[in-house]
Amino acid sequence: MDTKNKTVAVVLAAGQGSRMHSDVQKQYLLLQGKPVIFYALNVFQNSFIDEIVLVVSQGETDYCRSEIVDKYHLTKVKSIVEGGRERYHSVANGLKAIEGSGYVFIHDGARPFLTQEILVRAYEEVRMHHACVVGMPVKDTIKIADEDRFAIHTPNRETLWQVQTPQVFTIELAKKAYDRLLEKENELKAQGIRITDDAMVVESLLKHPVKLVAGSYENIKITTPEDMDIAGVFLK
């Protein structure tokens, strides 16, 4: 595989994880003796990725450096930066830490089951299309509901994907999209538009098409206590 272009992973570990109902943030919960965040970082560490930018909650830079990066010898972590109020603020802060051109892999640190195969597939697609996101076709029928929770539409399941991370872009494209997002942040809020993933930023603000690439049904995001139980089964 040709990897002469610079590749950077921005790994997000700044979420509060309110749905976990735990005093410990979900990315630091222990999964078979290691923090959840370790698993994704370790995949990037042992991949073709050149460097990692780790985005953490405010005041946790020193903790993450000593208890995660140094403890597990994650030498590709070149920067640890603090996140912001919303997820997109954290991504923007991570992008600011990247110099030069190439490709950026934006990944939620609460997704521990990233694989080398997923990274390779995403890299191949981003080189062709400049923007791609990992995901999988939905298995269930999806209903669109109104404000009173009555079903008003059933979209064709064949066209629906559940989106995961990493979401991968040229560095230039990602920076341009997020710069524009921050410029229009108040305007979008006034319109009731909520930014939920990186692809939405590129699609909405730059009108750039985003390619879908196969991830894995095991590439789950740790969000609730039940997810920790499922993750334990996957690791076994």
Side-chain angles (χ1 to χ4, degrees), residues 14 54-58 81-86 89-91 93-94:
L54 178 59
V55 185
V56 302
S57 298
Q58 292 188 3
V81 301
E82 292 188 346
R85 187 173 67 256
E86 301 287 346
H89 293 130
S90 296
V91 174
N93 288 353

Side-chain angles (χ1 to χ4, degrees), residues 38-211:
F38 159 79
Y39 292 94
L41 289 171
N42 193 51
V43 173
F44 284 119
Q45 172 72 29
N46 293 299
S47 74
F48 59 83
I49 293 293
D50 296 311
E51 60 185 67
I52 302 168
V53 176
L54 178 59
V55 185
V56 302
S57 298
Q58 292 188 3
E60 294 184 352
T61 301
D62 291 340
Y63 171 83
C64 284
R65 180 174 289 110
S66 62
E67 296 302 315
I68 306 294
V69 176
D70 292 344
K71 182 176 181 178
Y72 295 105
H73 310 292
L74 300 169
T75 57
K76 288 186 179 179
V77 177
K78 303 302 182 184
S79 303
I80 303 177
V81 301
E82 292 188 346
R85 187 173 67 256
E86 301 287 346
R87 181 188 184 276
Y88 62 84
H89 293 130
S90 296
V91 174
N93 288 353
L95 292 173
K96 290 176 184 175
I98 301 175
E99 297 179 354
S101 61
Y103 302 103
V104 58
F105 292 64
I106 303 171
H107 187 67
D108 290 324
R111 290 188 186 271
F113 298 109
L114 178 65
T115 66
Q116 302 290 343
E117 291 78 13
I118 290 174
L119 291 181
V120 170
R121 287 198 294 269
Y123 183 70
E124 290 173 348
E125 293 292 345
V126 76
R127 289 174 60 204
M128 289 189 288
H129 304 287
H130 298 172
C132 72
V133 298
V134 167
M136 293 296 287
V138 301
K139 296 180 179 180
D140 301 318
T141 296
I142 303 297
K143 297 288 185 181
I144 305 299
D146 63 15
E147 294 179 355
D148 297 317
R149 294 188 181 177
F150 284 97
I152 58 175
H153 178 58
T154 305
N156 180 4
R157 186 173 65 184
E158 299 301 317
T159 67
L160 300 177
W161 281 52
Q162 58 187 56
V163 171
Q164 306 171 349
T165 65
Q167 304 199 3
V168 192
F169 313 91
T170 64
I171 293 171
E172 179 184 28
L173 186 68
K175 286 189 173 186
K176 183 178 180 180
Y178 271 90
D179 285 346
R180 188 162 299 179
L181 171 60
L182 295 180
E183 290 173 4
K184 293 180 172 289
E185 181 178 8
N186 293 333
E187 179 183 332
L188 294 172
K189 284 183 178 179
Q191 295 173 7
I193 298 174
R194 184 167 176 262
I195 299 298
T196 55
D197 78 335
D198 312 297
M200 185 178 178
V201 183
V202 172
E203 296 162 4
S204 301
L205 299 177
L206 298 185
K207 308 301 180 185
H208 193 290
V210 177
K211 179 76 171 182

